[in-house]
Amino acid sequence: MMPAERLALHGGTPVHTGAWPKWPQHGPRALALIGEVLAGERWTLSGSWTGAPALERVFAVEWARFCGTRYCTPVDHGSSALFAAIAALGIGEGDEVIVPGLTWVATATAVSRTGAVPILVDIDPETLCIDPRAADAAVTPRTRAIIAVHLYSAMAEMDALRAVAARHGLALIEDAAQAHGAEWDGCRAGSLGDVGAFSMQQGKPLTSGEGGAAVTSDEQLHRRLELIRSDGRLFRSAPPPHGHPELDEIGGIRGYNLCLSEVHAALLLDGLERLDEQNRIRAANAAHLTAALASSAALLPIRPYAKNIHRSYYHYAVRVVADAFAGRPVDAVCAALEAELGLWVHQPYRALDDHPLFAAFEHPSRFALPHAHHAVGHTILFHHRALLGDASSMNAIAEAFLKVERLAAML
Ligand SMILES: *Cc1c(COP(=O)(O)O)cnc(C)c1O
């Protein structure tokens, strides 16, 4: 007689026992560049001129070129990139900024930091990104901007959001913290609004542990971003004498120290060498997995908009059909998958009107967020590190989903 199949959670044999690809990763260039930084006398841009441009400047040029924008201002965190973007647009006290109700909490807290109020709106259930119609309906005379978040692996509907922003005279900020290299109709994430904000925190597709960048093609906005990120200073147009500061005190706008150190810039220059190839591998593996999961009646893939031709994967997300998995809650399904795979499998962020930080410090939400709440209870995610493996590991993930689906009544 065949032994009864058992979930790994209940002592059965796990589907996958091998290691998953390491994340974060670095290459030899990181070690070489960090060695040069440590041996030299300039560890950050506010250090003195030593005869060669700061690595931060080198990265700024490369990242702007990568994104297809004229300018890039590297910063210390993605949160700082968002904060600087909002502040550079002159948004603050008395203003409202429209934010999706499903995103990392920093999208909303970056707004509050400037004194403006984040207005949470619902998402499109097919992509989990901000619903342009909900954004349109939330506009008031106080609204100054919309923040579009490209969430997990899908881009927000940028054509519709640009139309809404144009109709109401609003700024459009892209929170591209998860979307390094994603493309909308031939344009890279970050280049489609007034400012694009990236995070290079350690989980993100390009990382220096902590880090970020704000990109724009608007010269005035760029100048303000630069002033905000380095205490009201700008790079001099010509190098100063050796040993003098390269930054000149300009002022005229409230600045902060949001600078990225040279060690971090070294890590980003190294990681950027691999980003296109890693994006290609992640997308190919994700497509393989999505095809392998198509036979499951319990699962629905994320359906990106047609113009989101190239996707960048921060997390692989898959939606769960209502009442699938024998009606078991999605956290129980995630725990079962995790035991089969030896990989953290989890739900989306909480809807922001439910987030403890938001509930304690922010305004009560003006709108109900039914699609965001539904998505939290009906979506399964795992980190892009797993998408850096080979096809057989994708088959293992699919097999784990199908096994848990078969045995869900035991959960
Ligand atoms: C990571 C992230 C941020 C914040 O970036 P930090 O570098 O952690 O400050 C903002 N928005 C989204 C959508 C993110 O994923």
Side-chain angles (χ1 to χ4, degrees):
M1 213 178 76
M2 285 277 289
E5 193 183 23
R6 282 165 74 198
L7 289 166
L9 200 61
H10 300 149
T13 309
V15 170
H16 180 93
T17 50
W20 292 96
K22 178 187 182 300
W23 191 268
Q25 303 178 359
H26 73 81
R29 192 176 179 207
L31 297 177
L33 288 176
I34 290 171
E36 285 172 28
V37 169
L38 297 183
E41 292 197 75
R42 191 167 189 188
W43 287 13
T44 189
L45 61 155
S46 48
S48 299
W49 177 255
T50 58
L55 295 182
E56 193 261 7
R57 289 291 79 193
V58 179
F59 176 73
V61 170
E62 288 198 17
W63 189 243
R65 186 186 301 136
F66 181 90
C67 295
T69 57
R70 286 177 67 195
Y71 308 106
C72 166
T73 302
V75 289
D76 54 357
H77 304 96
S79 307
S80 302
L82 285 167
F83 166 72
I86 299 161
L89 287 160
I91 296 169
E93 209 77 46
D95 296 329
E96 294 178 356
V97 175
I98 295 169
V99 169
L102 187 70
T103 177
W104 178 238
V105 68
T107 313
T109 53
V111 175
S112 343
R113 260 207 256 181
T114 67
V117 177
I119 302 297
L120 307 179
V121 302
D122 211 358
I123 57 163
D124 177 342
E126 298 290 315
T127 58
L128 312 187
C129 296
I130 188 168
D131 177 352
R133 284 160 308 171
D136 194 24
V139 175
T140 74
R142 288 175 181 268
T143 310
R144 296 287 311 282
I146 299 171
I147 304 184
V149 182
H150 306 311
L151 200 70
Y152 300 133
S153 69
M155 288 181 75
E157 219 298 7
M158 293 308 294
D159 290 355
L161 289 165
R162 284 205 283 205
V164 172
R167 190 158 62 244
H168 298 286
L170 309 175
L172 181 58
I173 299 168
E174 280 178 275
D175 181 342
Q178 308 184 352
H180 311 65
E183 278 183 38
W184 181 270
D185 204 11
C187 296
R188 281 205 159 140
S191 71
L192 292 141
D194 296 285
V195 191
F198 289 89
S199 166
M200 279 70 158
Q201 182 271 344
Q202 90 154 49
K204 306 298 160 81
L206 173 66
T207 182
S208 48
E210 298 284 2
V215 297
T216 184
S217 291
D218 180 313
E219 192 181 341
Q220 283 312 309
L221 267 179
H222 168 63
R223 184 184 153 84
R224 293 167 67 87
L225 286 164
E226 294 273 309
L227 288 165
I228 288 167
R229 94 50 221 274
S230 51
D231 292 317
R233 290 171 294 182
L234 288 184
F235 281 100
R236 292 176 199 276
S237 48
H242 201 279
H244 287 229
E246 196 187 357
L247 294 173
D248 193 11
E249 293 176 35
I250 304 293
I253 185 171
R254 181 178 291 150
Y256 306 83
N257 183 358
L258 311 174
C259 298
L260 188 77
S261 85
E262 289 293 278
V263 173
H264 293 92
L267 287 167
L268 293 179
L269 285 166
D270 171 70
L272 187 49
E273 287 190 334
R274 289 180 303 280
L275 178 61
D276 277 329
E277 175 66 1
Q278 288 173 339
N279 275 344
R280 197 192 58 68
I281 294 169
R282 284 186 284 248
N285 274 326
H288 181 99
L289 176 58
T290 300
L293 292 175
S295 67
S296 165
L299 301 171
L300 264 180
I302 298 292
R303 281 188 219 291
Y305 302 108
K307 287 191 178 175
N308 180 191
I309 293 157
H310 291 289
R311 294 166 75 183
S312 159
Y313 285 80
Y314 172 53
H315 281 78
Y316 184 91
V318 62
R319 295 175 292 162
V320 175
V321 174
D323 300 323
F325 293 98
R328 296 297 186 267
V330 74
D331 60 339
V333 176
C334 289
L337 288 165
E338 182 163 340
E340 298 298 340
L341 293 168
L343 176 73
W344 185 37
V345 181
H346 54 97
Q347 289 175 255
Y349 304 121
R350 299 184 209 207
L352 283 185
D353 59 351
D354 223 11
H355 192 287
L357 193 59
F358 200 84
F361 298 109
E362 312 297 331
H363 283 247
S365 181
R366 194 174 286 170
F367 302 102
L369 309 171
H371 292 304
H373 283 270
H374 182 86
V376 175
H378 295 86
T379 311
I380 295 175
L381 308 174
F382 59 84
H383 188 249
H384 67 80
R385 67 158 61 203
L387 297 176
L388 290 167
D390 55 14
S392 75
S393 58
M394 295 306 106
N395 294 339
I397 295 173
E399 203 182 315
F401 270 96
L402 299 176
K403 178 178 172 187
V404 173
E405 187 184 344
R406 267 194 314 277
L407 302 180
M410 322 279 239
L411 278 174

